[in-house]
């Protein structure tokens, strides 16, 4: 299978049409951005670490009953996926208070959120991805009430499955963001699950193992991404 036309060029990935109906190729580029694109860099090998981790997670989630867009990897940078009509929601699950929830609300960083918080933002860079509530989501007709229930259930299933897997490697899943899309009436998990879309802390040292290393210049991003990709994929292989 080969890339045909460029369908979407996002901040870190490019999506191509293919010669097979209903299938797309997602290229994980070496671009990294933060703060609404205000900070940008190109980091050699970053794309393949994120693609590798995403592919492992999608396979693991599929085995555990979560419907994802993942088919296969063509090479370390290119993933074959099901073409979805993406839903412009960023579904965030938070187990520990960190990041924007601490900046915008009176949570103290590091507070355990039990049960986990589900926060849903409107995916729109120009509007800085504003936080939604259920009423706004339904009023905007972004999803039906039944789809919203389904999306939240899948988000919590993904949280439970990934938390267990990462804990086995001594990593705390602090929070993560996922995106969903439709094919007909079926909702699939799309996009990526990687160090760019999760917040991960080392259980022993509390050290950041994710894009916060880049955002706040906490160390050498690629050394950390390389190490964490190896830890994660090793933990998946043990399952
Ligand atoms: P962004 O600039 O939105 O952060 P990315 O660089 O991550 O974007 O680009 C990926 C784009 O591809 C996003 O717009 C995402 O919604 C879209 N996408 C992800 N998975 C699929 C899919 N299975 N079908 C169609 N579009 C997808």
């Amino acid at each position: 299978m080969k890339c045909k036309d460029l369908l979407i060029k996002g901040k870190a990935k490019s999506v191509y049409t293919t010669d097979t109906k209903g299938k797309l190729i997602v290229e994980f580029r070496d671009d990294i951005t933060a703060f609404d694109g205000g900070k940008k860099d190109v980091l050699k090998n970053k794309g393949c670490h994120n693609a590798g981790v995403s592919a492992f997670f999608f396979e693991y989630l599929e085995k555990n009953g979560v419907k994802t867009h993942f088919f296969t990897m063509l090479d370390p940078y290119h993933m074959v996926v099901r073409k979805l009509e993406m839903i412009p929601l960023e579904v965030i699950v938070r187990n520990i208070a960190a990041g924007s929830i601490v900046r915008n609300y009176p949570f103290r960083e590091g507070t355990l959120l039990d049960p986990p918080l589900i926060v849903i933002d409107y995916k729109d860079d120009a509007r800085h991805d504003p936080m939604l509530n259920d009423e706004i989501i339904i009023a905007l007709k972004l999803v039906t009430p039944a789809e919203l229930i389904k999306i939240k259930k899948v988000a919590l299933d993904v949280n439970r499955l990934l938390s267990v897997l990462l804990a086995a490697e001594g990593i705390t899943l602090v929070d993560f963001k996922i995106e969903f899309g439709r094919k007909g009436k079926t909702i699939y998990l799309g996009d990526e699950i990687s160090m760019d879309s999760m917040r991960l802390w080392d259980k022993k040292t509390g050290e950041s193992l994710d894009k916060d290393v880049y955002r706040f210049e906490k160390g050498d991003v690629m050394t950390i991404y390389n190490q964490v990709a190896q830890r994660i994929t090793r933990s998946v292989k043990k399952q």
Side-chain angles (χ1 to χ4, degrees):
M1 185 182 290
K2 276 201 193 114
C3 294
K4 267 176 77 182
D5 301 315
L6 179 66
L7 192 63
I8 310 165
K9 184 165 184 187
K11 293 188 291 295
K13 302 192 293 298
S14 300
V15 182
Y16 294 89
T17 58
T18 67
D19 40 19
T20 309
K21 198 168 169 272
K23 290 191 180 179
L24 298 174
I25 293 174
V26 178
E27 178 192 10
F28 286 69
R29 304 194 316 269
D30 284 342
D31 297 296
I32 186 162
T33 70
F35 307 119
D36 274 343
K39 183 171 157 86
K40 285 187 202 169
D41 280 284
V42 179
L43 302 172
K44 196 166 181 291
N45 295 332
K46 182 240 167 195
C48 74
H49 292 315
N50 279 2
V53 166
S54 284
F56 273 113
F57 279 151
F58 284 138
E59 279 185 340
Y60 165 71
L61 292 171
E62 282 280 351
K63 272 188 209 140
N64 286 282
V66 177
K67 286 194 171 79
T68 82
H69 68 163
F70 179 76
F71 286 120
T72 187
M73 292 302 293
L74 275 186
D75 62 53
Y77 280 89
H78 293 91
M79 181 183 285
V80 183
V81 302
R82 187 185 302 273
K83 179 177 183 169
L84 300 178
E85 184 202 315
M86 294 305 287
I87 301 168
L89 296 176
E90 301 212 329
V91 181
I92 302 151
V93 183
R94 297 180 176 276
N95 294 305
I96 293 178
S100 61
I101 201 93
V102 171
R103 283 196 303 280
N104 299 332
Y105 299 88
F107 286 108
R108 193 182 302 195
E109 166 141 326
T111 308
L112 184 67
L113 302 168
D114 186 20
L117 283 187
I118 301 180
V119 174
I120 306 185
D121 292 348
Y122 183 52
K123 187 175 159 73
D124 184 339
D125 282 341
R127 292 189 165 84
H128 307 290
D129 302 335
M131 188 189 289
L132 299 169
N133 65 20
D134 290 5
E135 285 74 14
I136 300 175
I137 294 170
I138 300 304
L140 286 171
K141 298 190 167 50
L142 297 173
V143 292
T144 64
E147 285 175 332
L148 186 56
I149 291 169
K150 170 83 183 167
I151 283 173
K152 288 186 182 179
K153 184 194 171 294
V154 176
L156 291 177
D157 288 346
V158 170
N159 183 47
R160 190 173 36 78
L161 290 162
L162 296 190
S163 293
V164 171
L165 191 96
L166 290 162
E169 272 311 310
I171 299 171
T172 302
L173 179 59
V174 175
D175 55 48
F176 63 92
K177 182 269 298 180
I178 46 180
E179 293 180 26
F180 293 89
R182 289 186 196 88
K183 171 77 191 165
K185 287 200 171 139
T186 309
I187 294 210
Y188 291 86
L189 180 59
D191 205 48
E192 69 176 302
I193 310 177
S194 73
M195 287 72 81
D196 280 10
S197 60
M198 298 180 286
R199 186 169 276 117
L200 304 172
W201 291 349
D202 188 284
K203 275 193 194 295
K204 274 205 198 107
T205 64
E207 188 192 3
S208 289
L209 304 173
D210 57 70
K211 197 154 94 173
D212 275 353
V213 179
Y214 172 73
R215 285 191 191 97
F216 306 113
E217 301 181 8
K218 294 179 171 195
D220 184 66
V221 191
M222 287 323 300
T223 306
I224 304 273
Y225 271 38
N226 184 17
Q227 284 168 356
V228 77
Q230 288 192 24
R231 271 168 91 174
I232 290 173
T233 54
R234 187 177 59 193
S235 86
V236 176
K237 279 176 193 143
K238 275 196 309 214
Q239 293 292 309

